[in-house]
Amino acid sequence: MNAATGVLDRKLDRAFAMLDVDGDGNLREEDLLVLGNRLAAAFDLSGDATKIARLRGAFTQLWIHDLSTMDSDQDGVLDRAEFVAGMRKAAANDREGILQRLSVMVDAWMDIADTDGNGLIDEDEFQTMYIKSLGTSPQDLKVAFARLDVDGDGNLGRDEIRRATEEFYTSEDPQAPGNWLFGNL
């Protein structure tokens, strides 16, 4: 395995670990829905059913169209190897489709995390999102935010997040800013 391939595999391993919210080594649609609930709880959106439903719908579509099809042994769950191989295959065979569905998910979570409604994610919103929903280290997030803020304006816009998401899930470049989407690898 070359160094670039190792970077992508480490990123996909990291994504799998964060999506597998119950930590059982398998990914199910329910894991994604629980993650959506955690994000809504992190921002105290218990009364905003529309935003929560939109995020849950985006996760469900991602599961139906992409993740469930990666279940090579047809056991109803994805293990780490199926996820990594499946994401690589999806990026190669349906790059635009999977990126579009990830973009819908990004828009939905940004609507939840953007507490001041300015269309941007500031560092506090970024930290709240990852610390409270995924348990990520605050120190890693400070560096991650700076790396993702490619225009240096102190905020993450939708285009920066979409670009970072694309780089995270598809780039073999070890220097891509999107590698920092979930903190330090």
Side-chain angles (χ1 to χ4, degrees):
M1 176 185 309
N2 67 38
T5 301
V7 168
L8 184 56
D9 284 350
R10 281 196 315 273
K11 292 187 296 185
L12 294 173
D13 280 344
R14 176 97 181 238
F16 180 88
M18 287 196 290
L19 294 172
D20 177 19
V21 297
D22 62 8
D24 70 352
N26 292 301
L27 186 58
R28 297 169 182 77
E29 182 180 8
E30 186 60 30
D31 288 304
L32 302 177
L33 299 178
V34 168
L35 185 58
N37 292 342
R38 284 185 185 174
L39 185 60
F43 291 97
D44 193 26
L45 290 181
S46 56
D48 195 336
T50 303
K51 286 183 180 181
I52 297 166
R54 186 167 171 234
L55 181 61
R56 289 175 63 93
F59 277 137
T60 295
Q61 290 304 307
L62 188 64
W63 180 262
I64 291 169
H65 291 286
D66 297 294
L67 300 177
S68 69
T69 66
M70 297 174 189
D71 182 12
S72 59
D73 62 7
Q74 302 290 304
D75 65 353
V77 298
L78 288 182
D79 63 28
R80 186 177 306 266
E82 288 172 321
F83 177 79
V84 171
M87 288 301 291
R88 284 183 161 282
K89 184 177 177 183
N93 296 339
D94 185 23
R95 182 183 182 96
E96 292 308 312
I98 194 165
L99 291 176
Q100 188 277 330
R101 287 181 290 280
L102 286 169
S103 182
V104 170
M105 181 198 57
V106 165
D107 283 343
W109 75 250
M110 280 190 75
D111 286 346
I112 289 173
D114 178 19
T115 58
D116 58 11
N118 67 353
L120 303 168
I121 302 298
D122 63 32
E123 190 170 351
D124 288 339
E125 292 165 332
F126 185 78
Q127 292 247 353
T128 297
M129 176 182 60
Y130 283 113
I131 292 168
K132 290 186 177 181
S133 63
L134 295 170
T136 307
S137 156
Q139 295 79 11
D140 279 352
L141 292 174
K142 189 159 198 61
V143 174
F145 187 86
R147 297 275 179 112
L148 295 172
D149 183 15
V150 295
D151 64 9
D153 70 353
N155 293 293
L156 300 177
R158 289 182 194 274
D159 289 339
E160 285 173 308
I161 297 293
R162 281 189 195 105
R163 185 173 41 253
T165 301
E166 178 176 353
E167 288 174 351
F168 185 88
Y169 284 103
T170 66
S171 177
E172 302 275 3
D173 178 3
Q175 302 304 314
N179 294 348
W180 287 84
L181 187 62
F182 299 116
N184 189 9
L185 295 175

